[in-house]
Amino acid sequence: MLAGVLDVFLPQSCVGCGGVGARCCAGCAAWMAAAPARRGPEPRPPGLPECWSAAPYEGAARAAVLAYKERGAVGLAGVLAQVLAFTVLTALGAAAGAGAGWARGPFAVVPVPSARRALRVRGHDPMGRLAVLVARHLVASGVRAEPWAVLRQTRRVSDQAGLSSTQRAANLAGSLCVAGRAKGPPAPSALLLDDVLTTGASLTEAARALRAAGLRVPMAATVAATRRRS
């Protein structure tokens, strides 16, 4: 909470380049949004939806994700949501051009949830906040979308840092479900959102849980993707 307050009231410097005047300057924001593309892990986990990311996990994108997610820099939510929304719109345009009927929407915009203990430590829900803002941008662009933060953890999972792709998949398998008291989905197709794509284990498990609840999960979007190869 304190980090968020300081982020609002103290003189700000760009997380990407250090320039004074904005938490993420126009140049760094433009760099993050300059090349949205299909990016995915190798090998690709079975069940992983088509994945698009705004940028590689480096430079301004890495700095912005870490500051927002781990250091409470909530002022970055706006620019990260714009970057994510642009990535989604680019992906939908490509899908529509390829004749995919689902690309017209509507969509339930579903964030991959953080562990409950991580939410307590951070003091905010980084992906939940972005899902709301991204849905607003999509609606403003003519895409029917509604945030639907219904994924819940069914058990505790280990910290993913340092785990191989196989270990990550085993760690997360069966760990998510759609909340039992959730209202019906606002759309038949779900658009998954996460911060960083690494091995694809988190997105694969989230997609499995949503499909088990009867939704289509044609694609996922992240702010960044690592260059990790297994």
Side-chain angles (χ1 to χ4, degrees), residues 162-215:
L163 299 182
S164 69
S165 58
T166 302
Q167 291 168 331
R168 287 181 178 227
N171 182 43
L172 295 176
S175 65
L176 295 177
C177 70
V178 171
R181 296 183 180 180
K183 294 181 181 179
S189 294
L191 167 64
L192 272 172
L193 297 184
D194 206 356
D195 53 354
V196 180
L197 172 65
T198 305
T199 65
S202 296
L203 289 171
T204 299
E205 171 58 17
R208 181 207 61 78
L210 290 169
R211 289 171 182 141
L215 282 86

Short mmCIF file of all heavy atoms in Angstrom, two decimals, residues 162-215:
data_model
loop_
_atom_site.label_atom_id
_atom_site.label_comp_id
_atom_site.label_asym_id
_atom_site.label_seq_id
_atom_site.Cartn_x
_atom_site.Cartn_y
_atom_site.Cartn_z
N GLY A 162 12.89 -21.44 -10.85
CA GLY A 162 13.90 -22.48 -10.86
C GLY A 162 13.42 -23.84 -11.31
O GLY A 162 14.22 -24.76 -11.47
N LEU A 163 12.11 -24.00 -11.53
CA LEU A 163 11.58 -25.29 -11.96
C LEU A 163 11.70 -25.44 -13.48
O LEU A 163 11.58 -24.47 -14.22
CB LEU A 163 10.12 -25.44 -11.54
CG LEU A 163 9.81 -25.39 -10.04
CD1 LEU A 163 8.32 -25.61 -9.82
CD2 LEU A 163 10.62 -26.42 -9.28
N SER A 164 11.90 -26.67 -13.91
CA SER A 164 11.91 -26.96 -15.35
C SER A 164 10.48 -26.92 -15.88
O SER A 164 9.51 -26.86 -15.12
CB SER A 164 12.53 -28.33 -15.60
OG SER A 164 11.66 -29.35 -15.11
N SER A 165 10.34 -27.00 -17.19
CA SER A 165 9.00 -27.00 -17.79
C SER A 165 8.19 -28.19 -17.31
O SER A 165 6.99 -28.07 -17.02
CB SER A 165 9.11 -26.99 -19.32
OG SER A 165 9.84 -28.11 -19.77
N THR A 166 8.81 -29.36 -17.21
CA THR A 166 8.12 -30.55 -16.73
C THR A 166 7.70 -30.39 -15.28
O THR A 166 6.58 -30.75 -14.89
CB THR A 166 9.01 -31.79 -16.89
OG1 THR A 166 9.38 -31.93 -18.26
CG2 THR A 166 8.28 -33.04 -16.42
N GLN A 167 8.59 -29.84 -14.45
CA GLN A 167 8.28 -29.64 -13.04
C GLN A 167 7.19 -28.60 -12.86
O GLN A 167 6.32 -28.74 -12.00
CB GLN A 167 9.54 -29.21 -12.29
CG GLN A 167 10.59 -30.31 -12.17
CD GLN A 167 11.93 -29.79 -11.68
OE1 GLN A 167 12.30 -28.64 -11.92
NE2 GLN A 167 12.67 -30.65 -10.99
N ARG A 168 7.19 -27.55 -13.67
CA ARG A 168 6.14 -26.53 -13.59
C ARG A 168 4.78 -27.13 -13.94
O ARG A 168 3.78 -26.84 -13.27
CB ARG A 168 6.46 -25.36 -14.52
CG ARG A 168 7.58 -24.47 -14.02
CD ARG A 168 7.84 -23.31 -14.96
NE ARG A 168 8.88 -22.44 -14.43
CZ ARG A 168 8.80 -21.11 -14.37
NH1 ARG A 168 7.72 -20.50 -14.81
NH2 ARG A 168 9.79 -20.40 -13.89
N ALA A 169 4.74 -27.92 -14.98
CA ALA A 169 3.48 -28.54 -15.37
C ALA A 169 2.95 -29.44 -14.27
O ALA A 169 1.75 -29.43 -13.96
CB ALA A 169 3.67 -29.33 -16.67
N ALA A 170 3.83 -30.25 -13.66
CA ALA A 170 3.41 -31.14 -12.57
C ALA A 170 2.98 -30.35 -11.35
O ALA A 170 2.01 -30.71 -10.66
CB ALA A 170 4.55 -32.09 -12.22
N ASN A 171 3.66 -29.25 -11.08
CA ASN A 171 3.35 -28.42 -9.92
C ASN A 171 1.95 -27.80 -10.03
O ASN A 171 1.24 -27.66 -9.04
CB ASN A 171 4.40 -27.31 -9.80
CG ASN A 171 4.21 -26.42 -8.59
OD1 ASN A 171 3.92 -26.88 -7.49
ND2 ASN A 171 4.36 -25.13 -8.79
N LEU A 172 1.55 -27.44 -11.25
CA LEU A 172 0.29 -26.73 -11.46
C LEU A 172 -0.87 -27.62 -11.88
O LEU A 172 -2.03 -27.18 -11.85
CB LEU A 172 0.47 -25.64 -12.51
CG LEU A 172 1.43 -24.50 -12.15
CD1 LEU A 172 1.59 -23.55 -13.32
CD2 LEU A 172 0.93 -23.74 -10.93
N ALA A 173 -0.60 -28.85 -12.25
CA ALA A 173 -1.66 -29.72 -12.77
C ALA A 173 -2.82 -29.85 -11.79
O ALA A 173 -2.62 -30.22 -10.63
CB ALA A 173 -1.08 -31.09 -13.09
N GLY A 174 -4.02 -29.54 -12.25
CA GLY A 174 -5.21 -29.65 -11.42
C GLY A 174 -5.31 -28.64 -10.31
O GLY A 174 -6.13 -28.81 -9.40
N SER A 175 -4.54 -27.56 -10.38
CA SER A 175 -4.50 -26.60 -9.27
C SER A 175 -5.54 -25.49 -9.39
O SER A 175 -5.72 -24.72 -8.44
CB SER A 175 -3.11 -25.98 -9.16
OG SER A 175 -2.81 -25.20 -10.31
N LEU A 176 -6.22 -25.36 -10.53
CA LEU A 176 -7.18 -24.28 -10.73
C LEU A 176 -8.57 -24.84 -11.03
O LEU A 176 -8.72 -25.93 -11.58
CB LEU A 176 -6.75 -23.37 -11.88
CG LEU A 176 -5.46 -22.55 -11.70
CD1 LEU A 176 -5.16 -21.76 -12.96
CD2 LEU A 176 -5.57 -21.62 -10.50
N CYS A 177 -9.57 -24.04 -10.68
CA CYS A 177 -10.95 -24.37 -11.04
C CYS A 177 -11.72 -23.08 -11.18
O CYS A 177 -11.26 -22.01 -10.75
CB CYS A 177 -11.59 -25.27 -9.98
SG CYS A 177 -11.93 -24.41 -8.42
N VAL A 178 -12.89 -23.16 -11.81
CA VAL A 178 -13.81 -22.02 -11.86
C VAL A 178 -14.58 -22.00 -10.55
O VAL A 178 -15.10 -23.03 -10.11
CB VAL A 178 -14.75 -22.13 -13.06
CG1 VAL A 178 -15.85 -21.08 -12.99
CG2 VAL A 178 -13.96 -21.99 -14.36
N ALA A 179 -14.63 -20.84 -9.92
CA ALA A 179 -15.27 -20.72 -8.61
C ALA A 179 -16.68 -21.28 -8.65
O ALA A 179 -17.46 -20.97 -9.57
CB ALA A 179 -15.30 -19.25 -8.18
N GLY A 180 -17.03 -22.10 -7.65
CA GLY A 180 -18.31 -22.79 -7.63
C GLY A 180 -19.51 -21.88 -7.61
O GLY A 180 -20.57 -22.22 -8.14
N ARG A 181 -19.37 -20.69 -7.00
CA ARG A 181 -20.51 -19.77 -6.90
C ARG A 181 -20.50 -18.69 -7.97
O ARG A 181 -21.28 -17.74 -7.93
CB ARG A 181 -20.50 -19.10 -5.53
CG ARG A 181 -20.71 -20.08 -4.37
CD ARG A 181 -20.76 -19.35 -3.04
NE ARG A 181 -20.95 -20.28 -1.93
CZ ARG A 181 -21.02 -19.91 -0.65
NH1 ARG A 181 -20.92 -18.62 -0.34
NH2 ARG A 181 -21.19 -20.81 0.30
N ALA A 182 -19.60 -18.82 -8.93
CA ALA A 182 -19.51 -17.81 -9.98
C ALA A 182 -20.77 -17.83 -10.86
O ALA A 182 -21.34 -18.88 -11.13
CB ALA A 182 -18.28 -18.07 -10.85
N LYS A 183 -21.17 -16.63 -11.28
CA LYS A 183 -22.26 -16.55 -12.24
C LYS A 183 -21.80 -17.14 -13.56
O LYS A 183 -20.62 -17.29 -13.82
CB LYS A 183 -22.67 -15.09 -12.44
CG LYS A 183 -23.27 -14.44 -11.19
CD LYS A 183 -23.67 -13.00 -11.50
CE LYS A 183 -24.26 -12.33 -10.26
NZ LYS A 183 -24.63 -10.91 -10.53
N GLY A 184 -22.76 -17.48 -14.41
CA GLY A 184 -22.42 -18.05 -15.70
C GLY A 184 -21.51 -17.13 -16.49
O GLY A 184 -21.51 -15.91 -16.28
N PRO A 185 -20.71 -17.67 -17.38
CA PRO A 185 -19.77 -16.85 -18.15
C PRO A 185 -20.49 -15.83 -19.01
O PRO A 185 -21.57 -16.10 -19.55
CB PRO A 185 -19.03 -17.88 -19.01
CG PRO A 185 -19.94 -19.05 -19.09
CD PRO A 185 -20.67 -19.09 -17.78
N PRO A 186 -19.90 -14.64 -19.15
CA PRO A 186 -20.53 -13.60 -19.96
C PRO A 186 -20.40 -13.85 -21.46
O PRO A 186 -20.98 -13.11 -22.25
CB PRO A 186 -19.77 -12.33 -19.55
CG PRO A 186 -18.43 -12.82 -19.11
CD PRO A 186 -18.68 -14.16 -18.48
N ALA A 187 -19.62 -14.87 -21.83
CA ALA A 187 -19.41 -15.17 -23.25
C ALA A 187 -18.97 -16.63 -23.37
O ALA A 187 -18.48 -17.21 -22.40
CB ALA A 187 -18.34 -14.25 -23.83
N PRO A 188 -19.15 -17.22 -24.54
CA PRO A 188 -18.74 -18.62 -24.71
C PRO A 188 -17.24 -18.81 -24.89
O PRO A 188 -16.74 -19.92 -24.76
CB PRO A 188 -19.49 -19.06 -25.97
CG PRO A 188 -19.70 -17.80 -26.74
CD PRO A 188 -19.90 -16.72 -25.72
N SER A 189 -16.53 -17.73 -25.20
CA SER A 189 -15.08 -17.82 -25.41
C SER A 189 -14.35 -17.01 -24.35
O SER A 189 -14.77 -15.89 -24.01
CB SER A 189 -14.68 -17.29 -26.80
OG SER A 189 -15.21 -18.11 -27.82
N ALA A 190 -13.25 -17.57 -23.85
CA ALA A 190 -12.45 -16.89 -22.84
C ALA A 190 -11.15 -16.40 -23.45
O ALA A 190 -10.50 -17.12 -24.22
CB ALA A 190 -12.16 -17.82 -21.67
N LEU A 191 -10.78 -15.20 -23.10
CA LEU A 191 -9.49 -14.63 -23.45
C LEU A 191 -8.65 -14.61 -22.18
O LEU A 191 -8.99 -13.92 -21.22
CB LEU A 191 -9.67 -13.22 -24.00
CG LEU A 191 -8.42 -12.36 -24.15
CD1 LEU A 191 -7.47 -12.97 -25.16
CD2 LEU A 191 -8.78 -10.94 -24.54
N LEU A 192 -7.58 -15.38 -22.15
CA LEU A 192 -6.73 -15.48 -20.96
C LEU A 192 -5.69 -14.36 -20.96
O LEU A 192 -5.09 -14.05 -22.00
CB LEU A 192 -6.03 -16.82 -20.92
CG LEU A 192 -6.75 -17.99 -20.25
CD1 LEU A 192 -5.99 -19.28 -20.48
CD2 LEU A 192 -6.93 -17.72 -18.76
N LEU A 193 -5.45 -13.79 -19.78
CA LEU A 193 -4.43 -12.77 -19.61
C LEU A 193 -3.45 -13.18 -18.53
O LEU A 193 -3.85 -13.69 -17.48
CB LEU A 193 -5.04 -11.43 -19.21
CG LEU A 193 -6.00 -10.73 -20.18
CD1 LEU A 193 -6.40 -9.37 -19.60
CD2 LEU A 193 -5.39 -10.56 -21.56
N ASP A 194 -2.16 -12.95 -18.77
CA ASP A 194 -1.14 -13.15 -17.75
C ASP A 194 -0.04 -12.14 -17.99
O ASP A 194 -0.02 -11.45 -19.02
CB ASP A 194 -0.60 -14.58 -17.80
CG ASP A 194 -0.06 -15.05 -16.44
OD1 ASP A 194 -0.03 -14.24 -15.50
OD2 ASP A 194 0.33 -16.21 -16.33
N ASP A 195 0.90 -12.06 -17.03
CA ASP A 195 1.96 -11.07 -17.17
C ASP A 195 3.09 -11.55 -18.08
O ASP A 195 3.48 -10.87 -19.03
CB ASP A 195 2.49 -10.64 -15.80
CG ASP A 195 2.91 -11.82 -14.94
OD1 ASP A 195 2.69 -12.98 -15.34
OD2 ASP A 195 3.46 -11.58 -13.85
N VAL A 196 3.61 -12.75 -17.79
CA VAL A 196 4.76 -13.26 -18.54
C VAL A 196 4.51 -14.71 -18.94
O VAL A 196 4.07 -15.52 -18.12
CB VAL A 196 6.06 -13.16 -17.71
CG1 VAL A 196 7.24 -13.71 -18.51
CG2 VAL A 196 6.33 -11.72 -17.29
N LEU A 197 4.82 -15.04 -20.17
CA LEU A 197 4.78 -16.42 -20.64
C LEU A 197 6.19 -17.00 -20.54
O LEU A 197 7.13 -16.44 -21.12
CB LEU A 197 4.29 -16.47 -22.09
CG LEU A 197 4.39 -17.84 -22.79
CD1 LEU A 197 3.47 -18.85 -22.14
CD2 LEU A 197 4.08 -17.70 -24.27
N THR A 198 6.33 -18.10 -19.80
CA THR A 198 7.63 -18.76 -19.69
C THR A 198 7.55 -20.14 -20.33
O THR A 198 7.84 -20.30 -21.50
CB THR A 198 8.07 -18.84 -18.21
OG1 THR A 198 8.05 -17.52 -17.65
CG2 THR A 198 9.49 -19.38 -18.09
N THR A 199 7.09 -21.12 -19.57
CA THR A 199 6.94 -22.48 -20.14
C THR A 199 5.54 -22.74 -20.65
O THR A 199 5.30 -23.74 -21.32
CB THR A 199 7.28 -23.54 -19.09
OG1 THR A 199 6.31 -23.48 -18.03
CG2 THR A 199 8.67 -23.32 -18.51
N GLY A 200 4.59 -21.87 -20.30
CA GLY A 200 3.20 -22.08 -20.68
C GLY A 200 2.39 -22.91 -19.70
O GLY A 200 1.20 -23.15 -19.91
N ALA A 201 3.01 -23.33 -18.57
CA ALA A 201 2.32 -24.20 -17.63
C ALA A 201 1.11 -23.51 -16.99
O ALA A 201 0.05 -24.11 -16.85
CB ALA A 201 3.29 -24.68 -16.55
N SER A 202 1.26 -22.25 -16.60
CA SER A 202 0.16 -21.54 -15.95
C SER A 202 -1.02 -21.35 -16.90
O SER A 202 -2.18 -21.57 -16.53
CB SER A 202 0.64 -20.18 -15.43
OG SER A 202 1.62 -20.33 -14.44
N LEU A 203 -0.73 -20.92 -18.12
CA LEU A 203 -1.80 -20.71 -19.10
C LEU A 203 -2.47 -22.02 -19.50
O LEU A 203 -3.67 -22.07 -19.73
CB LEU A 203 -1.24 -19.99 -20.33
CG LEU A 203 -0.85 -18.52 -20.12
CD1 LEU A 203 -0.10 -17.99 -21.33
CD2 LEU A 203 -2.08 -17.66 -19.82
N THR A 204 -1.68 -23.08 -19.59
CA THR A 204 -2.25 -24.39 -19.92
C THR A 204 -3.22 -24.86 -18.85
O THR A 204 -4.32 -25.36 -19.14
CB THR A 204 -1.13 -25.43 -20.12
OG1 THR A 204 -0.29 -25.01 -21.20
CG2 THR A 204 -1.70 -26.80 -20.43
N GLU A 205 -2.83 -24.70 -17.59
CA GLU A 205 -3.71 -25.12 -16.49
C GLU A 205 -4.95 -24.24 -16.43
O GLU A 205 -6.06 -24.72 -16.21
CB GLU A 205 -2.95 -25.06 -15.16
CG GLU A 205 -3.80 -25.27 -13.91
CD GLU A 205 -4.55 -26.60 -13.89
OE1 GLU A 205 -4.20 -27.53 -14.65
OE2 GLU A 205 -5.52 -26.69 -13.12
N ALA A 206 -4.80 -22.94 -16.64
CA ALA A 206 -5.96 -22.04 -16.64
C ALA A 206 -6.91 -22.41 -17.77
O ALA A 206 -8.14 -22.44 -17.59
CB ALA A 206 -5.49 -20.59 -16.78
N ALA A 207 -6.37 -22.70 -18.95
CA ALA A 207 -7.22 -23.09 -20.08
C ALA A 207 -7.95 -24.39 -19.79
O ALA A 207 -9.13 -24.55 -20.12
CB ALA A 207 -6.37 -23.22 -21.34
N ARG A 208 -7.26 -25.34 -19.15
CA ARG A 208 -7.91 -26.62 -18.81
C ARG A 208 -9.10 -26.40 -17.90
O ARG A 208 -10.19 -26.96 -18.11
CB ARG A 208 -6.90 -27.54 -18.12
CG ARG A 208 -7.48 -28.92 -17.73
CD ARG A 208 -6.77 -29.52 -16.55
NE ARG A 208 -6.86 -28.70 -15.36
CZ ARG A 208 -7.94 -28.63 -14.56
NH1 ARG A 208 -9.04 -29.31 -14.85
NH2 ARG A 208 -7.92 -27.86 -13.48
N ALA A 209 -8.93 -25.55 -16.88
CA ALA A 209 -10.01 -25.30 -15.93
C ALA A 209 -11.20 -24.62 -16.61
O ALA A 209 -12.36 -24.96 -16.33
CB ALA A 209 -9.50 -24.43 -14.78
N LEU A 210 -10.94 -23.70 -17.51
CA LEU A 210 -12.03 -23.01 -18.21
C LEU A 210 -12.74 -23.95 -19.18
O LEU A 210 -13.97 -23.91 -19.30
CB LEU A 210 -11.48 -21.79 -18.95
CG LEU A 210 -11.02 -20.64 -18.05
CD1 LEU A 210 -10.26 -19.60 -18.87
CD2 LEU A 210 -12.21 -19.99 -17.34
N ARG A 211 -11.99 -24.78 -19.86
CA ARG A 211 -12.62 -25.75 -20.77
C ARG A 211 -13.47 -26.74 -20.00
O ARG A 211 -14.54 -27.17 -20.48
CB ARG A 211 -11.55 -26.46 -21.59
CG ARG A 211 -10.88 -25.58 -22.64
CD ARG A 211 -9.68 -26.25 -23.27
NE ARG A 211 -9.02 -25.38 -24.23
CZ ARG A 211 -7.70 -25.30 -24.38
NH1 ARG A 211 -6.90 -26.08 -23.64
NH2 ARG A 211 -7.17 -24.47 -25.25
N ALA A 212 -13.02 -27.11 -18.81
CA ALA A 212 -13.80 -28.03 -17.98
C ALA A 212 -15.13 -27.40 -17.58
O ALA A 212 -16.10 -28.12 -17.30
CB ALA A 212 -13.02 -28.42 -16.73
N ALA A 213 -15.18 -26.07 -17.56
CA ALA A 213 -16.42 -25.36 -17.25
C ALA A 213 -17.24 -25.08 -18.49
O ALA A 213 -18.27 -24.39 -18.41
CB ALA A 213 -16.10 -24.05 -16.52
N GLY A 214 -16.79 -25.57 -19.66
CA GLY A 214 -17.58 -25.45 -20.87
C GLY A 214 -17.24 -24.29 -21.78
O GLY A 214 -17.96 -24.02 -22.74
N LEU A 215 -16.13 -23.59 -21.54
CA LEU A 215 -15.76 -22.45 -22.38
C LEU A 215 -14.75 -22.85 -23.44
O LEU A 215 -13.96 -23.77 -23.24
CB LEU A 215 -15.17 -21.32 -21.53
CG LEU A 215 -16.16 -20.45 -20.76
CD1 LEU A 215 -16.49 -21.09 -19.43
CD2 LEU A 215 -15.61 -19.05 -20.55
#
